[in-house]
Amino acid sequence: MRAWPRVLLLVLAAGVCVSHAQTNNSVNDNKQQQQQQSQRSIWDEPIRFSTKTKDTCTMVVSGAGDYTRLRVSCKGPSQGQNPVRSYYCDFQGKPNLCRPYNLNPRHYFTQMMWDMRKLSHACQGPKVYRPLMCKKHPEEAQMTFLASWPKTTTPKPSKPVPEQRKPVVPAQTKPVTTPKPVKSQPQPVKPQAGKGPQPKKITLKPAGSKTERLLQTQVWKQ
């Protein structure tokens, strides 16, 4: 009779151990399921759009701890025998700090898509996206650029090459020739009427002799 209490105690102890092991297994299973769910997309249907250059892109949202991660994957249009270009970029943030996001999270990323489809390259847009519904919230609540493949580098503006200036040759100055003074020729003075030299009047006395008459005739002939 004394052995029965010991057996009951052993049975109870075994039952407690089994229940404890089951609870531990259920907790571990829940953690694994949460990790798998965080790695999966929040939505089964990703957001699709096309860029300005006809690249087809998809937006897939997933959880990474306290952060929300977004991957944008794109493929360019086929160009004959040339290989199709493909690229992707990742964004990360805490949009759950924004109250409108919690009410409609899909619309938050739809507003991001509206900005991306205006670009020629979906991964060469702004480093921080501020959707209209959470624009006034701090940067921590926004989606910030994390990484991309292949790495997109913005080309630096090339410095203008200074033009080589030719040495300025001083212009040869011609010697200044002073004009020779022109001798002024005296202009003939026109005789003015009434002012010219008048012939002297010779008053002859009446000659009485022949010699006086001869002299008078010679004077008149001159």
Side-chain angles (χ1 to χ4, degrees):
M1 296 295 292
R2 291 180 179 179
W4 283 105
R6 294 180 179 177
V7 172
L8 290 174
L9 291 173
L10 291 172
V11 170
L12 291 172
V16 170
C17 291
V18 170
S19 62
H20 184 69
Q22 288 178 352
T23 53
N24 288 336
N25 291 332
S26 61
V27 169
N28 292 331
D29 291 340
N30 290 332
K31 288 183 178 179
Q32 290 179 357
Q33 288 178 0
Q34 289 177 358
Q35 289 177 357
Q36 290 177 357
Q37 288 177 357
S38 64
Q39 292 175 357
R40 295 177 183 175
S41 174
I42 294 177
W43 306 295
D44 294 334
E45 184 65 25
I47 299 176
R48 303 179 187 276
F49 67 96
S50 297
T51 63
K52 196 175 181 180
T53 54
K54 306 300 181 182
D55 294 344
T56 56
C57 304
T58 56
M59 300 175 67
V60 178
V61 183
S62 60
D66 295 336
Y67 290 90
T68 300
R69 186 165 293 180
L70 168 68
R71 170 162 289 190
V72 181
S73 305
C74 300
K75 287 184 179 181
S78 59
Q79 298 177 355
Q81 297 179 354
N82 296 328
V84 177
R85 70 166 182 172
S86 61
Y87 57 91
Y88 69 84
C89 49
D90 295 329
F91 295 85
Q92 184 173 282
K94 293 182 179 181
N96 57 328
L97 299 177
C98 173
R99 185 177 179 182
Y101 170 83
N102 296 323
L103 298 175
N104 191 357
R106 189 178 182 89
H107 189 61
Y108 177 92
F109 294 101
T110 302
Q111 290 183 348
M112 285 184 63
M113 179 268 292
W114 291 343
D115 293 334
M116 288 184 176
R117 68 183 180 182
K118 298 176 183 178
L119 303 172
S120 300
H121 193 291
C123 293
Q124 291 182 352
K127 297 299 181 183
V128 179
Y129 277 89
R130 296 179 178 273
L132 187 62
M133 61 192 299
C134 297
K135 190 174 183 179
K136 296 182 179 180
H137 284 71
E139 188 171 337
E140 187 180 7
Q142 313 301 335
M143 296 302 291
T144 307
F145 176 81
L146 189 63
S148 64
W149 181 91
K151 292 184 178 180
T152 56
T153 56
T154 54
K156 295 181 180 180
S158 58
K159 295 181 180 180
V161 179
E163 297 180 357
Q164 295 181 356
R165 296 183 178 180
K166 296 181 179 180
V168 179
V169 179
Q172 296 180 356
T173 56
K174 295 181 179 181
V176 179
T177 57
T178 55
K180 295 180 180 180
V182 180
K183 293 181 180 180
S184 59
Q185 296 179 358
Q187 296 181 357
V189 180
K190 295 180 180 180
Q192 295 182 358
K195 291 184 180 182
Q198 297 179 359
K200 293 181 179 180
K201 293 182 178 181
I202 301 173
T203 57
L204 298 177
K205 295 180 180 180
S209 62
K210 290 183 180 179
T211 55
E212 290 178 356
R213 290 178 183 174
L214 290 172
L215 289 171
Q216 189 175 3
T217 54
Q218 287 178 359
V219 170
W220 284 108
K221 287 181 179 177
Q222 290 176 358

